[in-house]
Amino acid sequence: MSTTKLERSRWPQYFDAVSKRVPTMRVAVSIMGVDIGVQQEADGAALVGISYDHNDEALTIDMANASHRIVQPSEISVREEAGMLSSIEVVTSDGTKQLVELTRLPSLPGS
């Protein structure tokens, strides 16, 4: 398991590549801030894709029934386990942290 801080210039390409190879996964999103504590935004939603738009300066987590946008991230770190993305930690310009945790669904027998 390794954690890597991504350079801002790599954000669009990294998340485009992740979205192309992401298997069926569930996603949980938590927002952590001094003034709000820990708030659960999503838990167990089916992941559709992840993208970064440099024009809007926003990281978007697309889920089956919703989207979660993180506007003006100042820092993004990713954790990979066995070559698969397992979590994303985003620090926004106001110091709020958001944690996106990905869980791979088990394969069906014989697949």
Side-chain angles (χ1 to χ4, degrees):
M1 163 173 34
S2 64
T3 302
T4 305
K5 180 179 173 182
L6 296 178
E7 295 298 323
R8 183 180 294 270
S9 62
R10 292 189 50 218
W11 295 354
Q13 295 83 8
Y14 180 85
F15 291 111
D16 285 348
V18 165
S19 287
K20 289 178 184 173
R21 63 179 168 84
V22 71
T24 304
M25 299 185 94
R26 296 282 179 199
V27 63
V29 179
S30 301
I31 304 169
M32 298 160 270
V34 174
D35 55 341
I36 62 168
V38 177
Q39 302 290 320
Q40 192 77 27
E41 185 74 14
D43 188 18
L47 178 65
V48 174
I50 304 171
S51 61
Y52 179 76
D53 183 336
H54 66 274
N55 291 325
D56 291 339
E57 293 186 41
L59 180 68
T60 303
I61 313 301
D62 290 314
M63 297 165 276
N65 296 321
S67 289
H68 177 73
R69 286 176 49 95
I70 304 171
V71 180
Q72 295 183 331
S74 58
E75 192 175 300
I76 298 178
S77 298
V78 295
R79 176 174 285 165
E80 296 184 355
E81 295 178 21
M84 294 297 300
L85 182 62
S86 62
S87 67
I88 305 164
E89 182 180 278
V90 182
V91 179
T92 58
S93 58
D94 68 357
T96 302
K97 288 186 181 180
Q98 298 197 32
L99 181 62
V100 179
E101 297 175 285
L102 305 166
T103 306
R104 188 174 185 164
L105 294 176
S107 299
L108 294 173
S111 58

